[in-house]
Amino acid sequence: MEKKYLLNPPQQPEVKILDSLFAEMVLDKALLNFRKEQIQKEIDHSLQNKNKEEFMRLTEELKNIS
């Protein structure tokens, strides 16, 4: 009997669910890191412009997502 090698062998439903959850967690983490970097840049900008209100709002937002 000839052995078949598949690029994507069939998986159990549980494995597919775990793969999906893992992919979602990785994506969520990447998005969170991206947003944190954005906020930090905006904080720097608010400091340069001496915009206290914007600084306070952004630091609060950063605290809430950290």
Side-chain angles (χ1 to χ4, degrees), residues 1 17 38 58:
M1 182 172 207
I17 292 170
Q38 276 186 319
L58 290 165

Side-chain angles (χ1 to χ4, degrees), residues 15-44:
V15 174
K16 289 181 182 179
I17 292 170
L18 288 175
D19 286 348
S20 293
L21 287 172
F22 180 71
E24 187 176 343
M25 288 171 60
V26 169
L27 183 56
D28 286 346
K29 181 68 174 167
L31 289 171
L32 181 64
N33 288 341
F34 177 76
R35 182 62 187 139
K36 284 180 180 180
E37 287 177 20
Q38 276 186 319
I39 294 171
Q40 289 169 341
K41 287 177 184 177
E42 290 176 29
I43 287 172
D44 289 344

